[in-house]
């Protein structure tokens, strides 16, 4: 009996059961996979027994200890937030950036500074596609292109296919803004490097985002068309508790939708994900609950620490101590996500 091909293994264990996170790691590296309206689609069969599509998939497997040893040089911290050096409150010092940002503009400011200081020569980010209004990965090469990607998209975007575009385009130092699943894929690329492409050296900076779940881009597009009567959405947001709503900004004002209405279009992969705070990024950034216009900034690696220190020294960022009570609340929320993911996995495999 012929051995199962690597693509069949990925299809049967990840894509077919609906566990694809739409991270984009495989679609740019396999001729038999493509993205189509927010989904990962298998085009044909493959005979390879080993390949990058499965090796780099964050939902296929993930060795926390191996990656932690490689990234942090210490064992994995299972306390809820993963390994980190410091947690602070942060905010961009640029009023212009803050005005267009989802929270405090920390991600945009750090990426712009990294580019302008020569720490990276291109940034892989996510932007709404003007043609089909679905989020997509882009290679940003200027301050303006990075700024155009500001704001949360709340949907799977396959944006890591833009990492291959940047890599193939000859960029040597690439910065990536990534969701937790995408961070894990990038770390797997650097650790395993199946084709010996020196990926570790090209992945110069990873800014991870906090994420509880992402929506299916295809279903979200249909959902929004029905709820907004086809009006273009300028910005999405989820206000802090107890609001429990998803807000849409259109040319006719703000529209609020109960979060419960969105649950049917949450990606199934997100229910199996244990990582809320992008535990393996260089820095992780999320909303500062209870304080509008500020971010929670987790500094994890020496690369991340150097980046943040430079941003503070140059006046790019403002920072303040992060209250212990908020830190404990964040840790508890991260643990709850881990527990829900374990329960989901147990339910799927009785």
């Amino acid at each position: 009996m012929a051995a199962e091909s690597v693509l069949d293994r990925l299809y049967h264990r990840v894509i077919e059961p609906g566990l694809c996170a739409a991270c984009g790691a495989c679609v740019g590296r396999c001729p038999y996979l493509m993205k189509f309206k927010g989904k990962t689609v298998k085009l044909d069969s493959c005979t390879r027994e080993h390949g990058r599509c499965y090796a780099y998939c964050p939902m296929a497997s993930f060795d926390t200890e191996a990656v932690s040893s490689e990234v942090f040089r210490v064992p994995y911290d299972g306390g809820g937030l993963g390994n980190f050096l410091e947690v602070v409150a942060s905010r961009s010092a640029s009023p212009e950036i803050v005005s267009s940002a989802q929270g405090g503009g920390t991600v945009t400011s750090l990426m712009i500074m990294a580019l302008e200081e020569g720490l990276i020569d291109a940034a892989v980010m996510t932007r709404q596609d003007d043609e089909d209004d679905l989020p997509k990965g882009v290679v940003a090469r200027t301050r303006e292109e990075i700024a155009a990607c500001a704001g949360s998209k709340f949907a799977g975007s396959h944006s890591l296919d833009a990492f291959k575009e940047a890599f193939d385009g000859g960029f040597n130092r690439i910065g990536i803004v990534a969701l937790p699943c995408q961070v894990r894929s990038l770390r797997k690329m650097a650790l395993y490097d199946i084709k010996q492409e020196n990926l570790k050296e090209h992945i110069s900076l990873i800014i991870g985002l906090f994420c509880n779940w992402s929506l299916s881009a295809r279903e979200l597009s249909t959902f929004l068309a029905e709820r907004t009567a086809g009006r273009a959405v300028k910005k999405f947001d989820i206000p802090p508790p107890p609001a429990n709503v998803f807000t849409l900004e259109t040319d006719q004002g703000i529209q609020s939708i109960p979060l419960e209405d969105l649950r049917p279009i949450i990606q199934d992969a997100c229910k199996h994900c244990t990582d809320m705070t992008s535990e393996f990024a260089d820095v992780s950034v999320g909303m500062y609950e209870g304080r509008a216009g500020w971010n929670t900034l987790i500094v994890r690696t020496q690369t991340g620490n150097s980046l943040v220190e430079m941003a503070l020294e140059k006046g790019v960022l403002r920072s303040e101590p992060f209250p212990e009570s908020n830190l404990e609340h964040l840790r508890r929320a991260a643990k709850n996500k881990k527990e829900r993911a374990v329960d989901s996995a147990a339910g799927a495999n009785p």
Side-chain angles (χ1 to χ4, degrees):
M1 183 176 179
E4 183 181 41
S5 76
V6 66
L7 181 55
D8 285 342
R9 190 155 65 247
L10 180 72
Y11 183 78
H12 293 312
R13 299 186 189 184
V14 178
I15 299 174
E16 188 177 39
L19 298 181
C20 173
C23 74
C26 64
V27 295
R29 294 181 172 273
C30 174
Y32 305 111
L33 292 169
M34 68 172 289
K35 60 179 181 179
F36 180 72
K37 294 185 177 180
K39 302 294 184 182
T40 303
V41 180
K42 178 186 172 185
L43 299 176
D44 205 343
S45 298
C46 169
T47 58
R48 290 181 178 272
E49 292 186 27
H50 306 284
R52 292 174 292 183
C53 62
Y54 192 85
Y56 299 159
C57 176
M59 301 306 295
S61 64
F62 190 79
D63 189 333
T64 55
E65 290 300 336
V67 175
S68 183
S69 178
E70 175 69 22
V71 175
F72 305 114
R73 305 301 179 190
V74 295
Y76 173 64
D77 184 341
L81 299 178
N83 301 70
F84 66 89
L85 302 174
E86 184 182 21
V87 181
V88 298
S90 63
R91 175 184 173 91
S92 174
S94 166
E96 179 184 1
I97 290 176
V98 171
S99 68
S100 62
Q102 195 77 29
T106 297
V107 172
T108 301
S109 289
L110 287 176
M111 268 302 182
I112 288 175
M113 186 197 73
L115 182 69
E116 295 183 340
E117 293 296 325
L119 303 178
I120 61 173
D121 48 25
V124 171
M125 305 185 73
T126 304
R127 188 182 69 204
Q128 291 297 121
D129 192 318
D130 295 334
E131 293 184 6
D132 59 15
D133 205 34
L134 294 174
K136 68 172 185 177
V138 296
V139 181
R141 304 166 179 85
T142 67
R143 178 188 187 94
E144 292 74 22
E145 289 175 345
I146 291 175
C149 297
S152 299
K153 310 304 183 290
F154 295 106
S157 60
H158 290 92
S159 53
L160 282 190
D161 66 344
F163 172 70
K164 182 179 184 296
E165 179 187 341
F167 181 83
D168 290 347
F171 293 103
N172 295 313
R173 300 182 305 279
I174 303 170
I176 307 103
V177 176
L179 296 172
C181 54
Q182 295 171 326
V183 173
R184 290 186 170 217
S185 178
L186 289 163
R187 294 306 190 191
K188 290 182 75 175
M189 291 181 194
L191 180 63
Y192 301 123
D193 202 359
I194 300 299
K195 291 279 190 175
Q196 297 185 353
E197 299 170 288
N198 204 23
L199 295 175
K200 181 179 177 180
E201 300 304 318
H202 285 78
I203 300 171
S204 296
L205 173 65
I206 302 177
I207 297 180
L209 304 175
F210 290 10
C211 179
N212 254 315
W213 42 257
S214 285
L215 303 169
S216 164
R218 182 184 298 182
E219 278 76 14
L220 177 61
S221 180
T222 302
F223 180 92
L224 293 177
E226 294 172 350
R227 293 298 183 102
T228 65
R231 292 188 297 272
V233 178
K234 300 177 181 177
K235 187 176 181 180
F236 307 106
D237 198 10
I238 299 179
N244 203 35
V245 294
F246 185 64
T247 62
L248 314 174
E249 181 182 340
T250 70
D251 55 7
Q252 295 189 17
I254 303 294
Q255 180 178 347
S256 295
I257 297 173
L259 280 180
E260 192 63 31
D261 292 357
L262 293 172
R263 295 197 184 282
I265 61 173
I266 292 175
Q267 295 185 136
D268 283 342
C270 302
K271 301 169 188 176
H272 293 258
C273 174
T274 60
D275 186 354
M276 189 186 87
T277 62
S278 290
E279 296 177 15
F280 297 92
D282 292 303
V283 297
S284 302
V285 183
M287 302 300 286
Y288 186 160
E289 190 171 309
R291 193 172 183 193
W294 283 75
N295 291 114
T296 301
L297 174 60
I298 303 179
V299 182
R300 298 190 182 277
T301 67
Q302 289 302 323
T303 294
N305 189 55
S306 297
L307 179 76
V308 172
E309 285 185 350
M310 178 184 291
L312 294 173
E313 289 171 3
K314 290 183 173 294
V316 170
L317 284 188
R318 296 167 53 194
S319 74
E320 294 182 2
F322 196 69
E324 184 60 37
S325 58
N326 289 65
L327 182 60
E328 182 52 37
H329 179 75
L330 180 63
R331 183 178 284 111
R332 191 161 58 248
K335 285 183 176 179
N336 287 341
K337 178 167 176 57
K338 293 180 186 298
E339 291 170 0
R340 291 194 301 270
V342 170
D343 290 343
S344 293
N349 300 284

